[in-house]
Amino acid sequence: MGRGKIEIKRIENSSNRQVTYSKRKNGILKKAKEISVLCDAQVSLIIFGASGKMHEYISPSTTLIDVLDRYQRASGKTLWDAKHENLSNEIDRLKKENDSMQIELRHLKGEDITSLNYKELMALEDALENGLSGVREKKMEVHRMFKRNGKILEEQNKELNFLLVSGNQQHLALEGVGNMHGQWI
């Protein structure tokens, strides 16, 4: 007795859908392995489930990149060019940005400024003055912090010296009392 035909449509019950997915996924992976071995075919199979989990099979005699390159040549569809073009454009943009930043850094160091016009020189001067102002503020903040810490350390040192001196005086006083009674402490 054979199996009955089923209507090919989305299975609404999620647990039935998951069971069917798992069985059919295993079946198609098995078929991919079989055709690869029996017919010496190069097979690449990639399955993404509803959860986003990936399952794959690639013939042992090939790699995914080889199969995709072969597909691209046979179909005439371009798989890589758009991505490579985007990456190339991004690299070019980053190179230009880097060059611009290098020039700006040289200008901030006072190098290569002969080509700058008056307006650019004024903007550079303002940027340097703002930077210098920030550096001075930070320097003063650090100086104040060192002064404050120095005062705290001095006060703590005075307290420790006082405790040391008073401790020694107490010890000497106790020694004197012990000597008067003929006892040594």
Side-chain angles (χ1 to χ4, degrees):
M1 184 165 150
R3 296 185 188 165
K5 281 200 165 217
I6 63 163
E7 185 181 353
I8 302 297
K9 65 174 188 165
R10 185 176 187 271
I11 300 170
E12 295 302 323
N13 183 307
S14 64
S15 63
N16 289 350
R17 187 171 54 244
Q18 183 57 39
V19 169
T20 301
Y21 170 76
S22 180
K23 287 181 178 179
R24 289 188 176 238
K25 173 192 56 108
N26 291 336
I28 199 167
L29 287 169
K30 181 179 176 188
K31 292 289 182 189
K33 291 175 190 172
E34 289 173 358
I35 197 169
S36 175
V37 172
L38 293 173
C39 303
D40 197 28
Q42 291 184 340
V43 178
S44 179
L45 173 66
I46 303 170
I47 303 170
F48 288 98
S51 66
K53 187 172 180 183
M54 182 184 81
H55 304 276
E56 66 178 332
Y57 173 77
I58 300 169
S59 302
S61 62
T62 190
T63 67
L64 179 60
I65 294 189
D66 291 340
V67 170
L68 292 174
D69 283 341
R70 195 167 169 192
Y71 170 79
Q72 183 171 300
R73 284 192 305 274
S75 69
K77 295 181 180 177
T78 56
L79 300 175
W80 310 112
D81 292 342
K83 179 136 179 125
H84 286 155
E85 187 176 329
N86 289 342
L87 289 174
S88 180
N89 290 340
E90 182 66 11
I91 288 170
D92 290 343
R93 187 189 66 77
L94 290 172
K95 282 181 181 178
K96 287 177 184 174
E97 186 178 334
N98 185 37
D99 290 344
S100 175
M101 293 175 95
Q102 290 288 337
I103 290 169
E104 188 176 341
L105 181 61
R106 281 197 303 275
H107 289 165
L108 289 171
K109 289 180 177 180
E111 301 169 1
D112 298 335
I113 57 174
T114 55
S115 62
L116 298 179
N117 62 35
Y118 181 78
K119 191 174 183 179
E120 292 169 327
L121 287 170
M122 290 299 294
L124 180 61
E125 183 180 24
D126 288 344
L128 288 170
E129 285 177 358
N130 289 337
L132 186 57
S133 173
V135 169
R136 283 187 179 134
E137 285 177 26
K138 183 65 179 174
K139 183 181 87 170
M140 291 307 295
E141 181 184 322
V142 169
H143 180 70
R144 284 190 297 270
M145 184 186 69
F146 279 137
K147 261 180 117 169
R148 187 172 48 247
N149 288 346
K151 287 180 182 178
I152 291 170
L153 287 174
E154 283 179 19
E155 289 174 15
Q156 288 176 344
N157 190 27
K158 286 177 185 177
E159 287 178 26
L160 288 173
N161 281 334
F162 175 76
L163 291 173
L164 181 65
V165 168
S166 65
N168 283 340
Q169 288 173 349
Q170 286 177 356
H171 181 71
L172 290 174
L174 287 175
E175 243 181 47
V177 169
N179 284 339
M180 287 194 315
H181 295 288
Q183 299 172 344
W184 291 96
I185 296 179

